[in-house]
Amino acid sequence: MTDFAATKAMFHLPIGMVYLDGNSLGPLPKSAAERVARTITAEWGDMLILGWNKAGWMDKPMAVGNRIARLIGAEPGSVAMGDTLSIKVYQALASALEMNAPRKVILSDSGNFPSDLYMAQGLCRTLGPQYQLKIVAPEDVLGAIDQTVAVTMITEVDYRTGRKHDMAAITARAHAMGALTIWDLAHSAGAFPVALAACGADFACGCTYKYLNSGPGGPAFIYVAPRHQDHARSALSGWQGHDAPFAFDLDYRPAAGAERMRVGTPPILQMAALEASLDIWDKVDMAALRAASLALSDQFIAGVEAACPTLTLATPRAHDQRGSQVSFRHPEGYAIMQAVIARGVIGDFRAPDILRFGFTPLFVDAADVAKAVAVLAEVMEGSLWDHPDYKTRKKVT
Ligand SMILES: *Cc1c(COP(=O)(O)O)cnc(C)c1O
């Protein structure tokens, strides 16, 4: 069991704020400031270049990857840290397409986060006109996997609705059709237990600044199944993924295992912040996390549906079909969310009409949910959102 009151006490949460946006940017672990400061002064400051060996900087991308591996059901040594999620999506795609030549089709769905689609479009343009990104409706993914598909590129949880795909079923279908799978775990890692190895996933990637609380710009991760690690090639063949970076060979030779997916110099300071968060994650039982997340989400859904009849639930009700966020639709969603934020409950808005709330048991409890419901009810009953201050869209929604 996990003591979620204890984990909540480990985060800095502004007084009076109910933070339901850890699915977009996780809060600050209280130990992170000191951890990063120590890395800055005792390592960068006092060790300078020696830190690469003495402080273990060079090994961090795989060492930190191993701590994330437990959260996503991955084998030890199969997760490498670095770069951003968009970059890791590109790398996984390029590897999978090369491995599954001569097939040329990438299959994704319209619930995917646009950056994944954009990266695929850019890669197809580079590879040539034979390559194609096929985008179908989320409910049509399973049926669209046929023998032309080289790789499926599916984000497990829809960033807008919170709808969760069936990883085991899609992976099995893909393999039966001779396709490889890439799972984007942006809204899965740290949201609920993921079983990459058990599902037989080929590749996966995700970011750490959402549920894993590494702070803005924290490094992404990439997973390569052990059976592919020694023949998956990296299109972004940077020196840190070389077998012997300090041999400074003129020709690229990939490192053994998933380490070959490293590209360039890793972000040591951000990884220090991530490690502070992983100290908390190390204590979390993933089954307990899921149970608590569903209880909070159910409480929120029931409360909002009882108090706010004009909001329409956009998230599936079935537990096995949703992640750790709850979304409601309303044509005035942006203004409503601004009014709710002005009253200390932080969620966010996704065009065209989605109000999004993340439920993260590590730092959200039942009293927070009750307050969020009360604030939303007050805003809706009094039409408090109907005010010019709440209607001008900011750059980040
Ligand atoms: C958040 C998110 C991203 C963001 O990618 P970055 O490169 O980290 O900016 C990409 N894909 C999905 C599915 C996401 O949810």
Side-chain angles (χ1 to χ4, degrees), residues 64-339:
V64 171
N66 274 337
R67 296 177 75 182
I68 289 180
R70 180 184 76 90
L71 307 180
I72 57 176
E75 302 86 344
S78 62
V79 178
M81 308 303 301
D83 315 298
T84 72
L85 176 49
S86 303
I87 300 286
K88 282 344 209 183
V89 165
Y90 185 96
Q91 248 183 320
L93 270 177
S95 296
L97 286 174
E98 189 180 31
M99 285 161 65
N100 216 2
R103 296 190 187 190
K104 305 271 187 284
V105 176
I106 300 166
L107 179 71
S108 193
D109 72 71
S110 53
N112 206 342
F113 187 77
S115 195
D116 296 34
L117 304 175
Y118 302 160
M119 294 310 279
Q121 287 161 2
L123 178 61
C124 286
R125 205 167 58 240
T126 303
L127 292 174
Q130 328 80 280
Y131 286 84
Q132 184 203 339
L133 169 65
K134 191 171 166 189
I135 302 172
V136 300
E139 56 275 20
D140 295 336
V141 166
L142 211 52
I145 304 172
D146 59 23
Q147 289 178 339
T148 66
V149 174
V151 58
T152 59
M153 175 185 70
I154 305 292
T155 295
E156 188 181 17
V157 176
D158 187 307
Y159 73 105
R160 280 184 293 221
T161 63
R163 187 256 322 117
K164 178 170 170 283
H165 274 303
D166 184 339
M167 179 184 285
I170 291 178
T171 304
R173 167 81 183 170
H175 290 170
M177 290 293 130
L180 293 168
T181 54
I182 298 170
W183 287 97
D184 187 326
L185 304 179
H187 298 276
S188 308
F192 50 82
V194 178
L196 286 177
C199 289
D202 299 287
F203 293 89
C205 40
C207 48
T208 60
Y209 51 79
K210 292 173 181 163
Y211 290 94
L212 298 179
N213 317 308
S214 67
F221 63 85
I222 184 166
Y223 163 83
V224 185
R227 63 186 176 280
H228 298 316
Q229 282 170 11
D230 286 327
H231 55 271
R233 302 204 305 174
S234 174
L236 302 175
S237 40
W239 73 303
Q240 300 247 336
H242 192 281
D243 187 40
F246 284 84
F248 299 110
D249 290 340
L250 294 187
D251 293 313
Y252 182 76
R253 189 174 76 245
E259 189 156 21
R260 63 183 52 195
M261 293 298 167
R262 290 175 62 173
V263 181
T265 304
I268 298 301
L269 300 183
Q270 288 273 186
M271 265 193 298
L274 173 57
E275 287 183 284
S277 169
L278 291 173
D279 288 345
I280 303 173
W281 275 109
D282 284 349
K283 301 182 187 73
V284 176
D285 174 77
M286 297 307 282
L289 177 88
R290 179 60 166 167
S293 147
L294 290 171
L296 294 171
S297 311
D298 285 346
Q299 180 194 346
F300 186 71
I301 292 172
V304 174
E305 289 195 320
C308 312
T310 58
L311 295 179
T312 310
L313 183 66
T315 302
R317 283 177 204 279
H319 284 175
D320 63 348
Q321 286 170 34
R322 59 171 135 112
S324 198
Q325 70 177 65
V326 172
S327 303
F328 283 91
R329 292 184 194 280
H330 191 285
E332 294 291 345
Y334 183 79
I336 293 167
M337 186 54 83
Q338 293 305 306

